[in-house]
Amino acid sequence: MSDTELLVYRATAAGVTAAVSAARQGVQVTVVEPGHNVGGMVSGGLGYTDLGDARVLGGMAKEFAVGVAEYYDVALGHYAGPEPHVAERILTGWLDRAGITVVFGVSLVAVSTVDGKITSVTGSNGTVYRAGVFVDASYEGDLLAMAGVSYRVGREDRELYGETYAGRREPAPGKHEFPPYLWPFDSNGQLSPFIHDAPTVDVGEGDGGVMAYGYRVCLSSSSDRIPFARRDGYREADWDLGRRYFALLERQGIEIDAGSVLGLLPNLPGGKCDGNSIGPFSLNLLDGSNWAYPDAEPVERERIRQRHRDYTQDFLHFVSSDPEVPRRVRDGMAKWGLPADEFATTGGLPHQLYVREARRMLGEYVLTEHDLLPGPVPKYDSVAMGSYHIDIREVRRTWRWLHEHPDPIPSVYNEGYLSVAVRPYQIPYRSIVPRFAECSNLIVPVCISASHVAFSSVRMEVQYQMLGHAAGLAASLALAGDRAVQRVDIGELQTRLADDGQILATPQ
């Protein structure tokens, strides 16, 4: 048995800001982390800071950015983000200075509740952790689900919230889409790997599909970089679709380079870059294998993570070495490798799968696209600002018939991508707490109450950090007043956030 005042599940960046902001108010905090690293995606390959409007950066998110600038002795914003090990060092330093206990290598196996209140959680180490307030800072929403809090996974129908951009989307030309007439079948007439052959719902209809996952690799141009090696189990036939794609580009006179595949900009210190998924054929695995991940059991989740790790290694080997990949791509890849000084325990690959979305809580208020686009109603309980565009990454890769004369032609396409600019918007406290009747002592700064469309903007780490900051302060107020998290004094919470530099309304 282990007692604490506040228990934070997962040491993501949001979990760290929640824990530290509460500890600075004198709260006793314990963080339980299934892995062995601090920072989640911030230290797990996502080095590039997806900021949006810099005017709304505040609170502990800005404190982190300042910490990065001070570490490298540069001006604020000079680098796109820190190296992974530097991000982890900064966040670990925060935890250490705040005297916070972090329990590594422990996942949740059970949650006990009484009358809509969590009394304890049981870890995989057999320890029962009791606390007055709990924060679920996981990407998956495991604590909220085990506590019986309502949630949703994947795309909803347009009719549910009246959202223009909800549901399945019609494919449209763009850099994330294949050119037409990419053949989907192999020489035996079987569908090629990495294509999702599930039935397609009507446009605008919800199907539970989630954005593609992947490993957001950190690459290095240093002389001691680790070459992209051929993995045991690599199968040449798996990459025929890629070969047909590059051959199609050549026939159409389209030239691409390595940056068109991985976005290879030296945007991190130390000659490193954050390898993103730029084109239609990328580090994103689009075969639908991640759709089951949010609700999957631990063994199945690990199988999905392993599939993504294998795909990542194989993809990097393929685009850097296969003779049918354009020379310009291979030559560009030859300048890069995995970093020798990052992710030593995982062979240079990040320790964190990029779970772009999983469960989304159905809380006191559901944030939708109407709250992000021009003309939203101000929120009386604003605790942070969002500003990143609606960024729905590809949901799956599939195929359809193109009805050409005299015979139809099968063609591969990616589906789901959408980018829509937003104005800075307020995120209400009601979106990070459950419905009062379901749970009165849980705060959720990552899997917040939002539609699929709105979540695609909120899901950036800077915004998670600001929401974690708000969650920690709210937890301290709930504990001090012995009241439900839904009943904290919003005015007092906003005052404390403002004192910490959090931006709660659009600067004039």
Side-chain angles (χ1 to χ4, degrees), residues 151 181 297 479:
Y151 64 88
Y181 311 118
E297 295 297 323
L479 288 163

Side-chain angles (χ1 to χ4, degrees), residues 128-427:
V128 176
Y129 299 90
R130 296 190 304 192
V133 175
F134 296 79
V135 168
D136 185 346
S138 68
Y139 294 118
E140 295 83 4
D142 287 338
L143 177 51
L144 74 89
M146 289 185 184
V149 172
S150 299
Y151 64 88
R152 185 173 281 121
V153 173
R155 298 187 285 197
E156 309 97 336
D157 290 343
R158 287 182 184 172
E159 288 74 16
L160 182 61
Y161 300 118
E163 294 178 300
T164 302
Y165 300 114
R168 184 181 78 81
R169 301 203 50 78
E170 191 66 43
K175 66 180 180 181
H176 294 272
E177 186 56 84
F178 290 110
Y181 311 118
L182 178 61
W183 193 261
F185 304 109
D186 63 20
S187 58
N188 297 317
Q190 300 298 310
L191 198 65
S192 293
F194 314 133
I195 297 177
H196 191 191
D197 196 28
T200 301
V201 301
D202 292 337
V203 171
E205 186 176 341
D207 58 6
V210 297
M211 287 180 269
Y213 297 173
Y215 279 90
R216 189 78 174 248
V217 295
C218 175
L219 301 182
S220 173
S221 59
S222 171
S223 59
D224 65 348
R225 62 186 180 270
I226 303 170
F228 303 124
R230 181 187 176 105
R231 179 184 64 87
D232 290 341
Y234 179 90
R235 300 196 317 165
E236 293 288 348
D238 285 350
W239 300 94
D240 283 345
L241 180 67
R243 297 183 184 102
R244 293 198 297 274
Y245 165 59
F246 288 125
L248 178 61
L249 293 180
E250 184 176 3
R251 289 197 301 273
Q252 295 182 349
I254 300 173
E255 288 191 356
I256 63 171
D257 56 18
S260 304
V261 178
L262 276 171
L264 299 172
L265 298 176
N267 49 23
L268 302 182
K272 294 172 184 171
C273 75
D274 172 350
N276 197 1
S277 300
I278 298 298
F281 184 68
S282 70
L283 288 168
N284 284 344
L285 181 53
L286 293 166
D287 62 357
S289 58
N290 66 316
W291 284 30
Y293 180 89
D295 280 323
E297 295 297 323
V299 172
E300 176 64 8
R301 278 195 187 160
E302 180 52 35
R303 187 194 68 78
I304 294 169
R305 284 191 289 266
Q306 186 60 54
R307 176 168 175 77
H308 282 74
R309 281 192 291 267
D310 291 346
Y311 174 82
T312 302
Q313 288 182 271
D314 292 354
F315 177 85
L316 292 172
H317 172 70
F318 170 72
V319 296
S320 62
S321 66
D322 193 283
E324 294 187 49
V325 172
R327 169 63 67 182
R328 289 184 67 193
V329 174
R330 285 180 284 145
D331 287 348
M333 292 297 297
K335 302 173 184 177
W336 297 91
L338 296 175
D341 58 345
E342 304 279 3
F343 313 123
T345 61
T346 49
L349 287 177
H351 49 73
Q352 175 66 55
L353 176 64
Y354 194 4
V355 178
R356 287 188 169 93
E357 62 169 327
R359 298 181 177 104
R360 301 187 312 278
M361 179 175 64
L362 290 173
E364 291 275 303
Y365 184 93
V366 179
L367 202 72
T368 70
E369 73 173 43
H370 307 295
D371 296 298
L372 279 61
L373 299 177
V377 177
K379 305 298 185 295
Y380 71 87
D381 58 341
S382 171
V383 291
M385 296 289 293
S387 63
Y388 202 77
H389 57 269
I390 293 172
D391 185 30
I392 304 176
R393 297 305 303 261
E394 307 93 320
V395 173
R396 68 173 179 168
R397 176 178 298 138
T398 187
W399 69 281
R400 65 178 177 178
W401 292 104
L402 300 182
H403 295 282
E404 302 283 5
H405 179 80
D407 298 307
I409 301 171
S411 183
V412 179
Y413 68 95
N414 293 338
E415 181 265 310
Y417 179 81
L418 178 72
S419 178
V420 179
V422 305
R423 292 180 180 177
Y425 56 91
Q426 295 173 311
I427 304 174

